[in-house]
């Protein structure tokens, strides 16, 4: 069978209905390929964010130990005192978009408090204090984590900008005496450690909720 005959044979059986079915199958296959690619990108971004979260969480555990050892007597009691205006370590919201926003806004608030703790401790510690170095490291990594969370949210929900915190800018404590500063710092770091643990759990949950339906979430 020569080429001309083959071409006639092909067109004889390639009816409009058959051609339409073929095009639909090609479109479905293309959509599945795009969806798989988005799922992979989502999973990679989420894994990177989780990895940094675990790192900051580990460093926060060591930071609390260093903090207590640098505060002198009664350091074990400082974390047990109640302090107002500390961010809630729990993540709120029903939908994935709301919960990611909750992680981001809480992280921003904690970053402001950790920065205040660092500022207070610079007046109480020697410049060479390991505490100042660890506080600085955790502060930098926390800001990096906020950037990753923001980027991850924007990739999933490009049509839903992150809203401003309902309560406005983060409320920081007024001037405190030395004892109050030591208590405040310990409570902030302890609460922040608990928050990071909740973030790690949340990211594991989100992996199954949002990364497997990336094409749908991008349409929101």
């Amino acid at each position: 069978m020569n080429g001309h005959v083959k071409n006639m044979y092909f067109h004889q059986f390639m009816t409009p209905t058959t051609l339409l079915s073929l095009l639909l199958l090609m479109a479905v296959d293309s959509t599945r390929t795009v969806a798989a690619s988005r799922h992979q990108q989502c999973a990679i971004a989420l894994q990177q964010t989780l990895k940094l979260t675990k790192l900051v969480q580990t460093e926060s555990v060591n930071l609390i130990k260093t903090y207590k050892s640098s505060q002198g007597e009664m350091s074990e009691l400082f974390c047990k005192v109640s302090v107002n205006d500390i961010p809630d370590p729990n993540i709120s919201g029903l939908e994935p978009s709301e919960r990611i926003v909750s992680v981001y806004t809480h992280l921003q608030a904690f970053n402001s408090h950790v920065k205040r703790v660092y500022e207070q401790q610079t007046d109480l510690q020697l410049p060479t204090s390991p505490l100042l170095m660890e506080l600085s490291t955790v502060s930098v990594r926390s800001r990096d984590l906020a950037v990753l969370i923001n980027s991850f949210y924007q990739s999933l929900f490009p049509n839903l900008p992150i809203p401003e915190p309902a309560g406005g800018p983060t409320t920081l404590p007024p001037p405190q005496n030395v004892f109050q500063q030591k208590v405040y710092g310990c409570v902030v770091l302890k609460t922040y450690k608990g928050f990071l643990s909740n973030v790690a759990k949340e990211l594991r949950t989100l992996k199954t909720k949002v990364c497997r339906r990336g094409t749908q979430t991008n349409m929101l």
Side-chain angles (χ1 to χ4, degrees), residues 144-174:
D144 292 341
L145 181 58
V147 171
L148 283 181
I149 294 291
N150 188 3
S151 177
F152 179 65
Y153 175 88
Q154 296 295 343
S155 67
L156 288 175
F157 310 103
N159 299 321
L160 294 176
I162 292 183
E164 294 295 327
T170 303
T171 301
L172 295 175

Side-chain angles (χ1 to χ4, degrees), residues 16-214:
T17 302
T18 304
L19 179 60
L20 178 59
S21 299
L22 179 61
L23 291 175
L24 287 175
L25 287 174
M26 293 173 62
V28 169
D29 185 64
S30 176
T31 300
R32 288 175 177 173
T33 301
V34 172
S37 176
R38 287 178 177 174
H39 164 63
Q40 183 178 18
Q41 292 174 0
C42 176
I44 291 174
L46 194 55
Q47 189 62 34
Q48 291 175 339
T49 307
L50 179 58
K51 183 177 180 180
L52 182 56
T53 301
K54 290 180 177 179
L55 176 60
V56 183
Q57 183 183 6
T58 299
E59 291 177 339
S60 70
V61 173
N62 297 329
L63 177 56
I64 292 178
K65 295 178 181 178
T66 304
Y67 185 90
K68 290 180 178 179
S69 66
S70 66
Q71 302 305 308
E73 298 179 0
M74 300 177 60
S75 60
E76 289 295 332
L77 300 177
F78 293 155
C79 286
K80 299 179 181 180
V81 179
S82 177
V83 177
N84 296 326
D85 298 324
I86 301 297
D88 188 340
N90 297 313
I91 298 167
S92 61
L94 298 177
E95 297 296 324
S97 60
E98 296 172 338
R99 297 187 70 80
I100 298 175
V101 167
S102 178
V103 170
Y104 178 74
T105 54
H106 277 66
L107 190 56
Q108 292 284 70
F110 272 112
N111 286 345
S112 296
H113 282 278
V114 172
K115 180 181 178 182
R116 173 58 64 87
V117 173
Y118 177 84
E119 292 170 349
Q120 290 177 342
Q121 289 300 313
T122 55
D123 295 330
L124 302 176
Q125 305 294 327
L126 294 173
T128 56
S129 169
L131 174 61
L132 297 180
M133 183 181 300
E134 291 185 29
L135 277 169
S136 178
T137 299
V138 168
S139 181
V140 170
R141 294 202 202 280
S142 295
R143 290 196 297 270
D144 292 341
L145 181 58
V147 171
L148 283 181
I149 294 291
N150 188 3
S151 177
F152 179 65
Y153 175 88
Q154 296 295 343
S155 67
L156 288 175
F157 310 103
N159 299 321
L160 294 176
I162 292 183
E164 294 295 327
T170 303
T171 301
L172 295 175
Q176 300 170 310
N177 60 38
V178 173
F179 176 78
Q180 290 172 327
Q181 290 179 11
K182 291 184 176 185
V183 169
Y184 167 75
C186 199
V187 175
V188 166
L189 298 181
K190 176 186 175 182
T191 309
Y192 186 44
K193 179 177 71 70
F195 167 71
L196 291 171
S197 177
N198 291 336
V199 172
K201 294 176 183 178
E202 186 65 27
L203 293 176
R204 295 189 189 96
T205 302
L206 285 172
K207 185 175 182 179
T208 60
K209 287 187 176 182
V210 298
C211 288
R212 297 187 182 281
R213 58 179 195 184

